[in-house]
Amino acid sequence: MSPNDLKDVQALISMNDLYEKLLDEIDIGVHIINEKGKTIIYNQKMMEIESMASEDVLNKDLLDVFMFADNQNSTLVEALKTGKTTKHKKQTYFNNKGKEITTINDTFPIVKDGEITGAIEIVKDVTQLEQVIKENVLRKQNTKFTFDKIIGQSGLIQTVIEESKRATRTSSSVLIVGETGTGKELFAQSIHNGSNRSSAPFISQNCAAIPDNLMESLLFGTKKGAFTGALDRPGLFEQADGGTLLLDEINSLNPSLQAKLLRVIQDKTIRKVGDTQDKKVDVRIIATINEDPIDAVANERLRRDLYYRLSVVTLFIPPLRERKEDLWFLTQSFIEKYNALFQMNVKGISEGVNHLLNQHDWPGNVRELEHTIEGAMNLIMDKETITVENLPVRFRKRYQKNDELFPQKDFEDLAGSNHSSKTLRDKVAEVEKFYIQQILAENSNNISQAAKILGISRQSLQYRLKKFNL
């Protein structure tokens, strides 16, 4: 081989490496098969879309790796066999692990000297978008919570219920503040079902669950041709027209989308991605946040102007640790629920279990309690009472000593004693509440003056007054 030939080969190798690098960096899937239907090019994005490794697909027959429904053919195989070009075609199929995949494809044959020598497919993934739409359809059909389903007799929860009921009379925006697992969506659905919008759609969307590049299309819809594979599709605002849209974890929405959401609330119009026309919508917005909204604003996770728009009505859902008098009612409710599901006949819990539940600070709130009861009822055998040994290991470990579990008798002795312990969080909250009461008393309940002395904003102090039921 001459030096010039060697140089040409090296140039070809270098160019091939460049093409491979380019194919792996682009944000669209590329799948190419040869004249025998075997995969010869399969880029990184395609691997991500189809959850497959390159070695599972390359040099294999396409139809041996992927399964298509009876009434659907592979657009790649169709292009290879018929020479047909397709544009923006939606296709749903399964990989060899059974995962469902939905894509929008541009497919065309490779023709050389009048012969079809292969086919190319350029793919945009819409799997996640399709799944979200399906989930929202199911949610729309299962808006089942009403105020009479909210369990609790404590003053804190009853106050929130009464405030929520008053919010059903209008269509003002509502901001629901509460830790994870406190039941924020339960209140949102109850407000919707108690309002004059109850016969219209209720749609819920977790803002943290969808990537930013999909969220705008999901909220506002898309116009055909807006981007490769874009179809005319209504967004959540259009689907919720006349009803209620719940935006869960609003502080997870990126700032640019928060600005667009603010415009929708102000103008009551939306504009689809890729469209030039605005469309009027009548949607009540309920948003939830799992942190102090004042902190979210201060740390730029929530736009200040959007916060003011959303918080026309603000509801603070108390954490379970602040309403432990509701533990028994909630526990009995979950026992009844899982008795029906598991065909069991559990009557209640032992005193030892009751004491342990009251000792726990419930960082996961009501949701954590439900999972705990469900777990215990999976372990119970031919008994009518849940005892300590039926509880999940994570609970029992909190009361281990010298690697030996306290017997049931010890739990009952503890339950009857004056022994008490507080978590650091409970103790800090207790001190904070006492100090706020003291400063307010010293300043004749002047909130502005008290906030100045405490070194916090007036809004932050008002939030804490609500939180501590002062």
Side-chain angles (χ1 to χ4, degrees):
M1 183 181 291
S2 70
N4 285 338
D5 290 338
L6 182 62
K7 192 177 292 185
D8 289 342
V9 169
Q10 289 173 336
L12 283 171
I13 292 171
S14 178
M15 187 63 71
N16 185 63
D17 290 342
L18 181 63
Y19 285 147
E20 285 186 3
K21 176 70 173 172
L22 178 64
L23 281 172
D24 282 339
E25 290 297 325
I26 59 177
D27 196 37
I28 54 172
V30 178
H31 194 161
I32 303 178
I33 58 175
N34 63 17
E35 69 278 5
K36 295 179 181 178
K38 292 187 176 182
T39 299
I40 55 174
I41 292 179
Y42 190 72
N43 76 338
Q44 183 66 39
K45 185 64 179 180
M46 205 70 212
M47 295 182 218
E48 294 170 10
I49 291 171
E50 295 179 334
S51 300
M52 299 289 282
S54 60
E55 57 266 26
D56 294 329
V57 182
L58 283 171
N59 302 314
K60 290 184 172 60
D61 190 298
L62 181 77
L63 297 180
D64 289 340
V65 180
F66 300 99
M67 296 174 288
F68 296 83
D70 293 337
N71 60 346
Q72 255 195 56
N73 296 316
S74 163
T75 48
L76 256 178
V77 173
E78 191 176 349
L80 181 66
K81 288 182 176 179
T82 67
K84 181 181 177 182
T85 295
T86 57
K87 292 284 187 181
H88 309 331
K89 184 169 182 180
K90 181 179 168 183
Q91 182 171 241
T92 299
Y93 54 102
F94 300 85
N95 67 13
N96 61 7
K97 302 178 185 72
K99 180 188 174 183
E100 183 177 313
I101 303 154
T102 303
T103 55
I104 301 292
N105 305 334
D106 287 344
T107 315
F108 48 92
I110 302 171
V111 180
K112 184 177 181 182
D113 299 328
E115 296 287 327
I116 299 175
T117 59
I120 298 177
E121 192 155 79
I122 297 171
V123 174
K124 183 174 180 63
D125 183 20
V126 293
T127 305
Q128 192 169 19
L129 193 58
E130 290 291 315
Q131 287 173 344
V132 169
I133 290 168
K134 287 178 185 176
E135 287 169 7
N136 282 324
V137 168
L138 290 173
R139 282 176 177 271
K140 204 185 300 185
Q141 296 167 349
N142 285 291
T143 312
K144 59 187 178 181
F145 290 116
T146 53
F147 289 115
D148 59 359
K149 299 281 182 70
I150 300 175
I151 296 166
Q153 300 298 318
S154 65
L156 284 175
I157 202 68
Q158 287 298 316
T159 298
V160 182
I161 291 172
E162 287 306 310
E163 290 175 349
S164 302
K165 285 180 177 178
R166 288 196 285 271
T168 63
R169 299 171 299 169
T170 71
S171 291
S172 298
S173 298
V174 179
L175 181 64
I176 303 178
V177 183
E179 296 175 9
T180 299
T182 50
K184 297 187 289 295
E185 181 161 348
L186 191 154
F187 277 89
Q189 286 193 22
S190 298
I191 292 170
H192 170 79
N193 285 328
S195 73
N196 60 8
R197 295 173 176 261
S198 58
S199 60
F202 174 93
I203 294 180
S204 169
Q205 179 56 52
N206 187 320
C207 297
I210 304 296
D212 291 342
N213 62 334
L214 286 181
M215 184 56 91
E216 185 174 4
S217 301
L218 184 65
L219 286 176
F220 307 122
T222 54
K223 181 78 172 173
K224 186 174 182 179
F227 49 82
T228 302
L231 304 173
D232 277 320
R233 190 192 299 277
L236 297 185
F237 274 95
E238 282 186 86
Q239 294 176 50
D241 197 17
T244 304
L245 177 59
L246 170 62
L247 297 174
D248 194 18
E249 296 188 46
I250 190 70
N251 47 326
S252 298
L253 203 62
N254 78 38
S256 65
L257 281 178
Q258 288 188 29
K260 291 181 180 181
L261 178 60
L262 178 65
R263 187 180 69 82
V264 173
I265 297 172
Q266 289 173 335
D267 302 342
K268 300 189 184 304
T269 61
I270 56 145
R271 181 177 294 183
K272 288 183 175 183
V273 175
D275 204 351
T276 56
Q277 301 295 317
D278 290 341
K279 180 177 181 179
K280 280 203 166 292
V281 288
D282 172 25
V283 177
R284 182 182 201 174
I285 303 293
I286 299 180
T288 73
I289 188 169
N290 54 12
E291 63 175 323
D292 182 338
I294 303 302
D295 291 341
V297 170
N299 292 298
E300 298 183 348
R301 287 187 292 273
L302 181 64
R303 286 176 61 106
R304 186 180 300 274
D305 45 8
L306 180 60
Y307 166 60
Y308 292 139
R309 277 288 180 178
L310 291 173
S311 61
V312 176
V313 177
T314 305
L315 302 172
F316 296 88
I317 314 300
L320 186 53
R321 65 181 172 276
E322 292 181 8
R323 56 179 188 110
K324 286 189 176 177
E325 58 266 49
D326 291 332
L327 270 170
W328 186 86
F329 299 103
L330 289 163
T331 299
Q332 288 302 123
S333 171
F334 295 139
I335 288 173
E336 289 172 14
K337 174 181 176 178
Y338 291 105
N339 271 336
L341 285 173
F342 300 158
Q343 302 296 300
M344 296 173 72
N345 191 32
V346 177
K347 303 293 186 186
I349 60 175
S350 69
E351 284 190 31
V353 171
N354 182 56
H355 175 70
L356 190 153
L357 297 184
N358 275 279
Q359 289 292 98
H360 192 53
D361 63 357
W362 300 105
N365 292 292
V366 178
R367 185 182 297 137
E368 182 187 359
L369 175 63
E370 178 175 1
H371 292 165
T372 300
I373 298 303
E374 181 185 1
M377 289 181 68
N378 270 277
L379 298 177
I380 200 169
M381 293 290 288
D382 302 321
K383 291 193 301 184
E384 292 188 344
T385 303
I386 296 173
T387 56
V388 171
E389 58 264 27
N390 304 132
L391 292 173
V393 173
R394 61 188 169 84
F395 260 89
R396 288 181 282 161
K397 279 188 174 180
R398 287 174 61 90
Y399 290 85
Q400 282 179 338
K401 184 177 181 181
N402 299 326
D403 296 327
E404 292 292 329
L405 190 68
F406 281 117
Q408 179 66 21
K409 178 177 176 298
D410 290 345
F411 277 114
E412 290 168 355
D413 290 343
L414 280 170
S417 74
N418 291 323
H419 173 81
S420 68
S421 64
K422 285 190 171 72
T423 65
L424 177 61
R425 182 188 291 175
D426 287 346
K427 193 65 182 175
V428 168
E430 186 180 276
V431 172
E432 184 180 10
K433 179 179 178 180
F434 175 79
Y435 187 54
I436 289 172
Q437 286 176 306
Q438 183 182 4
I439 296 299
L440 281 169
E442 290 174 0
N443 290 275
S444 304
N445 289 322
N446 185 312
I447 293 177
S448 297
Q449 186 62 26
K452 187 176 180 181
I453 293 170
L454 291 166
I456 58 178
S457 70
R458 180 186 171 89
Q459 294 99 319
S460 188
L461 177 55
Q462 286 175 326
Y463 166 74
R464 284 165 172 79
L465 295 177
K466 195 84 171 176
K467 174 181 174 183
F468 295 129
N469 200 30
L470 296 176

